[in-house]
Amino acid sequence: MNSFEGVNVEDLTRCLADNFASGIKTKIYYAPTSYLDRIDLPTGKNTYDDFVSIAQGGIEFRGGGWNAIDVLIGENELKQNLVGPLQRKKSKTELEFFILGFRTKVLGLIEAHKNTPMVFVVVDAVGNNWVIGNLRNRAFMESADVSTQKKYEDNSGAVVKITCNAPIFYFGNAQSWIDEGIFTREFTNEFNFEFT
């Protein structure tokens, strides 16, 4: 590793055993930022990983907890872009997902949270947890297109786009953030029924 203006410059190599499957899992977790007490953004920046990694235990709630949205497989995408003029670039994160069904809960979610500052956790296809939004740069619903569709074989539901003017942050893998008790929402009868 070489150092260039305080940043360690590293090789980007890949192990043949690494899994780079595309897509995300069929659940997205979210919470209004008002539920959160702190999100410890990276401070030590010795390696490239350090720039975008939140330490385990680095997210703490003051009340409430994560809630989940079931999303349709194969219809969702998480991406990060660079925006702005040369030498003043900033990272922007976009999350697009599809919620199945033209129904009151879907319409109500959109109506209730169309202007709510949020934080999302997305688990990708290989089990990595990615955080979108933080207490400084919150995530917002940029658009939500809900449709019954026209043909029987088409999927009715909502295409929701979330944007955040911050990079994506890595938060461990294998849902270790749930194992640490961060998933603090009270389980409903419906939730218990689905998982027993």
Side-chain angles (χ1 to χ4, degrees):
M1 247 186 321
N2 298 319
S3 184
F4 181 75
E5 294 183 10
V7 175
N8 289 322
V9 179
E10 303 176 58
D11 293 325
L12 254 63
T13 57
R14 142 182 120 78
C15 175
L16 294 176
D18 287 343
N19 184 355
F20 295 107
S22 300
I24 64 175
K25 303 279 186 183
T26 57
K27 274 199 191 305
I28 292 173
Y29 300 91
Y30 73 99
T33 54
S34 60
Y35 284 17
L36 292 151
D37 189 44
R38 66 180 178 84
I39 299 177
D40 296 336
L41 297 179
T43 52
K45 297 180 178 174
N46 295 321
T47 68
Y48 289 161
D49 293 332
D50 294 341
F51 276 80
V52 294
S53 297
I54 296 174
Q56 291 302 309
I59 297 179
E60 194 172 285
F61 282 90
R62 68 177 62 158
W66 299 112
N67 284 276
I69 301 170
D70 285 330
V71 295
L72 187 61
I73 194 165
E75 298 288 332
N76 316 294
E77 183 180 24
L78 173 62
K79 62 183 178 180
Q80 181 175 295
N81 305 309
L82 289 178
V83 295
L86 285 175
Q87 297 186 330
R88 294 181 59 207
K89 296 283 184 195
K90 296 189 179 193
S91 295
K92 180 178 180 179
T93 301
E94 295 179 356
L95 169 65
E96 188 172 284
F97 55 88
F98 188 92
I99 309 172
L100 193 60
F102 192 93
R103 51 198 167 108
T104 56
K105 272 200 187 294
V106 175
L107 294 165
L109 168 81
I110 293 163
E111 194 60 29
H113 296 298
K114 61 190 174 193
N115 296 307
T116 303
M118 306 273 239
V119 174
F120 291 82
V121 174
V122 174
V123 184
D124 70 18
V126 296
N128 296 315
N129 302 303
W130 302 101
V131 177
I132 300 107
N134 54 71
L135 298 181
R136 190 179 328 156
N137 294 299
R138 290 110 11 116
F140 287 94
M141 202 178 293
E142 182 172 297
S143 64
D145 300 317
V146 192
S147 173
T148 61
Q149 297 298 336
K150 296 178 182 177
K151 298 179 183 176
Y152 179 79
E153 60 270 17
D154 293 339
N155 290 319
S156 72
V159 176
V160 179
K161 185 175 182 181
I162 304 297
T163 59
C164 176
N165 292 325
I168 301 166
F169 291 103
Y170 175 72
F171 194 47
N173 57 29
Q175 293 196 347
S176 52
W177 55 282
I178 290 178
D179 296 339
E180 291 187 6
I182 293 175
F183 192 87
T184 56
R185 182 189 67 162
E186 290 182 12
F187 293 159
T188 63
N189 290 335
E190 179 183 353
F191 187 90
N192 285 328
F193 177 75
E194 288 175 3
F195 290 91
T196 54

